[in-house]
Structure formats: structure tokens, C-alpha cells
Amino acid sequence: MAVTSTSPTPEGGGLRLPAGGRDRPAAAGGGFTLLEVLVAIFIFAIVVTTIFGSFNSVFSTGEDLQNDAARHEMARRCLDRMAVDLGQIHVAQRPAYAPPTAGDAADPFRVAGEGGDRGAGDAARLRFSSHAHVPLDGSSAAGIARIVYYSAQASDGGLVLRRSDRLDPAPDFEESSVDPILCENLRAVTWTFFDEAGEAHESWDSDAAETGFATPVALGVRIEIGDERQGWVFETRVALPVFREKS
């Protein structure tokens, strides 16, 4: 029987590696390269910026809507107050009223007014008498009040519309910081006076010959308010329940 010889194994046992064989390196770990980390951070920053930008836009829009709603409510209340005052206007009728002559005192119940524009620096003023007196001292005093709507400078440099209300007899009108503010952020306020023929006039004085010593039969009010973003215009027209015809 033939005997097959084998090569001796190295000390310590084990199989001999084939000739020319090499050790296979261990598999690399599951980590990220620096470039991959930087790309991930960049993408995350873009997503976060977009999300926060959307939130800021939503919050800013909500605040703007609230401010716009507050301005609309303020203008509505202002026009409503004017409508109430004009709806209870008091007019001196003939023969109790006589056109003034030189040296005569002006009619305490006269209707007079002209508009004003902030840009032009003009002050608006409207005066008349009304039974819609609003006591500011909490009393129940009533009677015919001399009411004056006028534009005045606010503490921030803007314009406001104030309402003066003094029971007759009252001293000559003077602006006062205690007069209630009906409208803020005022840009312009104009009155339109309509005569018996329906013609419109920008100003009026019932003690003047130009108007025939008459009072208007209706009065239009146009208020423009706004801020640095935009402006709003509100209008109303009130038919006066009483008026004095031309002489």
C-alpha cells in the first residue's frame, strides 16, 4: 500500500494558507462622512427656516387683520355717532331767527363747517346744535348742546378727530384735550353739504348770505384713515330732520 506524506502544520495548529493568499480586511463601520453630515445640516437648516418663516407670516397676518378690524370698528362708531348727533339737530327757525347784521352776534345754533386734509395741513371743523347731548361727568343733564367735530394733532404727531359737546348757553368754542377722540390715524375728513336743490357744497355757513341764511337739508361725511401700509375710506350721508329754507 502506498503511503501519502503530508506537510507538517505550524506550531499551534491550524491550516496552512494557500500559496499567494492574503488576509481579507474587516468590513468598514456604518458611520457618515464629514461631507454627508454637512449636507444633512444644510438641509435641516433650510427646513427649519421655512417652517419659522411660515409661522411668522401667519402671526403677522393675524395681527394685521386684528388691527384692520379695530380700525373698521372705530370708523363705524365714529360715523354712527355723527348720524345720531345730526339726526337730532336743532335749527333756529324764522321768525325766531333773523339774518345777522353788522355788529350782531352770530346765531348760536348755526351750521358751519369745512373739511381738512392732513397732507395739506388743513384743519377740519363742523359745528351745529343738537339734542343728542352726552354728559361726560356722569350727570343726567339734558338740553340743546353745541357740538363741534374737529381734527387735532395727536401726541404722536398724527391727526385725530375730536367731539366737543357743551350745553347751551356755552362759551365760544375752544379746543380741549378732554374732548373725546372719535377717530385716530386720521388722514382727511370732509363734509359735503346739500342744499334744497340737491347741489353739493364743500363748506357751509348758515349765517352767510352766500347760503341764503339757510341750513343744509342733508350732510355727507367722508373719513379717510390709514397707516404706513394702506388707507381706508368710510362714508355716510344723513338727511337732516329739520332745516331752514333760504330767505
Side-chain angles (χ1 to χ4, degrees):
M1 176 181 291
V3 178
T4 304
S5 63
T6 59
S7 302
T9 59
E11 293 184 3
L15 299 176
R16 181 186 299 275
L17 292 174
R22 297 181 181 177
D23 291 330
R24 182 175 297 175
F32 296 101
T33 66
L34 177 60
L35 178 60
E36 290 172 332
V37 172
L38 292 177
V39 170
I41 293 175
F42 178 72
I43 295 175
F44 178 76
I46 293 178
V47 173
V48 171
T49 301
T50 302
I51 293 175
F52 277 101
S54 299
F55 276 120
N56 288 335
S57 177
V58 170
F59 291 146
S60 299
T61 301
E63 184 178 354
D64 291 341
L65 290 175
Q66 289 181 348
N67 292 335
D68 292 349
R71 292 188 182 95
H72 279 71
E73 179 65 15
M74 174 184 64
R76 184 189 67 80
R77 290 180 179 273
C78 178
L79 294 180
D80 286 349
R81 182 67 253 174
M82 289 186 182
V84 170
D85 290 342
L86 291 168
Q88 300 184 50
I89 192 172
H90 176 83
V91 175
Q93 300 286 2
R94 298 180 180 85
Y97 171 80
T101 57
D104 289 347
D107 175 21
F109 308 124
R110 69 187 180 278
V111 178
E114 58 184 359
D117 186 289
R118 176 179 179 180
D122 300 328
R125 184 171 297 182
L126 171 67
R127 63 158 296 155
F128 57 94
S129 295
S130 174
H131 295 275
H133 172 60
V134 179
L136 299 179
D137 56 3
S139 67
S140 58
I144 301 173
R146 299 184 188 179
I147 294 177
V148 181
Y149 285 94
Y150 63 97
S151 59
Q153 188 122 11
S155 57
D156 60 359
L159 283 181
V160 296
L161 185 66
R162 292 184 180 271
R163 177 182 182 271
S164 172
D165 183 341
R166 306 287 188 272
L167 281 175
D168 188 70
D172 292 339
F173 167 74
E174 289 185 0
E175 296 184 6
S176 173
S177 59
V178 301
D179 290 334
I181 295 176
L182 272 71
C183 197
E184 299 177 318
N185 301 314
L186 188 67
R187 287 185 177 179
V189 55
T190 55
W191 334 101
T192 303
F193 304 89
F194 297 92
D195 60 20
E196 296 174 66
E199 295 183 4
H201 305 265
E202 294 181 354
S203 61
W204 195 277
D205 185 352
S206 60
D207 258 1
E210 290 78 11
T211 61
F213 304 104
T215 59
V217 301
L219 201 150
V221 183
R222 183 182 186 275
I223 294 176
E224 182 182 352
I225 62 176
D227 54 20
E228 63 280 358
R229 295 187 299 111
Q230 59 181 329
W232 300 266
V233 174
F234 303 89
E235 297 180 280
T236 191
R237 178 171 173 173
V238 181
L240 304 182
V242 293
F243 61 92
R244 186 172 63 238
E245 298 179 350
K246 289 184 177 181
S247 58

